[in-house]
């Protein structure tokens, strides 16, 4: 099996939320806001792995945001994927290491993992290498957090931070797992 890289690329409120309590993310700049590297990032990704809750929100968007990229939706319950007929969307479930191993065996080289719970599970399993967080200058007070409780600390190496005229602050980190 060849190496597969796993990344997170996410926008958060300054107080660390990826969505409001109802799942909406209207506090993020419309249309992705000032270009901050998403197009360049997504061009390097071959499989997008999202949690079921993110998938439900994506379905409510006016346009399918992933183009012709392969999308894997994680859920422990049967999903009705007929709503995305014609798109390369499939369902998987199980422990993150097995999901990554399966995708790697199928030739995937760069996975984009998205959704709060999903990111947390992959991180705890030691399967996220890069985290790029774009902080949006707004406080929303409550919502769905990007990160959550951990049984141990995770150290990260700061790679780069860029600031944008519109107030976005993008920071890229490498996750350092034990032994690194
Ligand atoms: N700000 C941003 O850039 C950004 C990006 C992405 C998402 N969001 C927001 O984040 C919210 C969703 O995040 P979330 O933390 O609530 O949930 P999530 O991570 O999108 O979805 C969680 C669900 O994914 C499924 N799942 C995850 N790992 C699994 C595994 N290994 N095997 C089987 N099923 C697995 C489970 O579904 P079942 O319960 O069906 O088993 C779980 O309940 C949405 O509101 C979305 O708008 C924001």
């Amino acid at each position: 099996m060849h190496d597969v890289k796993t990344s997170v690329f996410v926008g958060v409120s300054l107080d660390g939320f990826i969505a409001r309590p109802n799942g909406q993310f209207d506090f993020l700049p419309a249309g992705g806001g000032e270009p901050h590297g998403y197009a360049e990032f997504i061009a390097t990704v071959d499989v997008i792995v999202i949690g079921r809750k993110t998938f439900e929100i994506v379905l409510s968007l006016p346009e399918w945001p992933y183009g012709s990229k392969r999308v894997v939706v994680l859920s422990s319950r049967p999903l009705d994927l007929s709503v995305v007929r014609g798109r390369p969307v499939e369902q998987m479930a199980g422990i993150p290491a097995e999901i990554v191993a399966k995708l790697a065996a199928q030739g995937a080289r760069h996975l984009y993992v998205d959704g709060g719970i999903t990111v947390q599970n992959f991180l705890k399993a030691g399967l996220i290498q890069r985290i790029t967080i774009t902080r949006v200058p707004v406080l929303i007070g409550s919502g769905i957090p990007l990160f959550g409780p951990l049984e141990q600390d995770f150290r990260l190496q700061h790679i780069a931070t860029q600031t944008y005229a519109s107030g976005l602050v993008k920071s890229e980190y490498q996750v350092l797992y034990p032994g690194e």
Side-chain angles (χ1 to χ4, degrees):
M1 189 179 82
H2 62 258
D3 275 352
V4 59
K5 180 179 167 184
T6 305
S7 301
V8 171
F9 192 109
V10 69
V12 298
S13 64
L14 188 57
D15 44 358
F17 298 109
I18 58 171
R20 294 192 189 277
N22 67 2
Q24 295 305 319
F25 46 85
D26 54 297
F27 58 91
L28 298 178
E34 187 179 1
H36 58 282
Y38 179 78
E40 292 80 358
F41 166 76
I42 201 75
T44 69
V45 165
D46 42 30
V47 183
I48 300 165
V49 179
I50 57 175
R52 189 256 310 161
K53 294 183 180 175
T54 295
F55 178 60
E56 284 173 357
I57 293 292
V58 162
L59 287 180
S60 71
L61 299 177
E63 264 185 64
W64 180 249
Y66 301 128
S68 57
K69 288 270 182 212
R70 181 180 178 190
V71 176
V72 171
V73 184
L74 302 182
S75 179
S76 55
R77 61 185 88 169
L79 292 178
D80 176 10
L81 295 180
S82 62
V83 284
V84 290
R85 209 169 40 231
R87 304 277 184 195
V89 182
E90 69 210 90
Q91 180 180 353
M92 287 190 186
I95 62 167
E98 285 174 5
I99 292 163
V100 171
K102 188 170 178 182
L103 291 169
Q106 292 171 354
R109 294 201 167 262
H110 190 191
L111 310 182
Y112 170 21
V113 177
D114 209 8
I117 292 167
T118 304
V119 168
Q120 291 170 33
N121 287 342
F122 276 67
L123 184 66
K124 285 183 210 163
L127 292 166
I128 301 286
Q129 276 96 48
R130 284 277 168 143
I131 300 182
T132 302
I133 299 184
T134 302
R135 278 170 287 155
V136 177
V138 61
L139 301 170
I140 63 168
S142 62
I144 299 171
L146 175 56
F147 297 115
L150 292 171
E151 282 165 14
Q152 64 187 83
D153 292 352
F154 279 81
R155 290 184 311 113
L156 302 99
Q157 183 187 347
H158 176 246
I159 306 293
T161 291
Q162 278 172 271
T163 61
Y164 295 85
S166 61
L168 301 180
V169 179
K170 182 180 79 172
S171 294
E172 188 178 352
Y173 297 90
Q174 175 91 16
V175 183
L176 299 175
Y177 291 107
E180 287 185 86

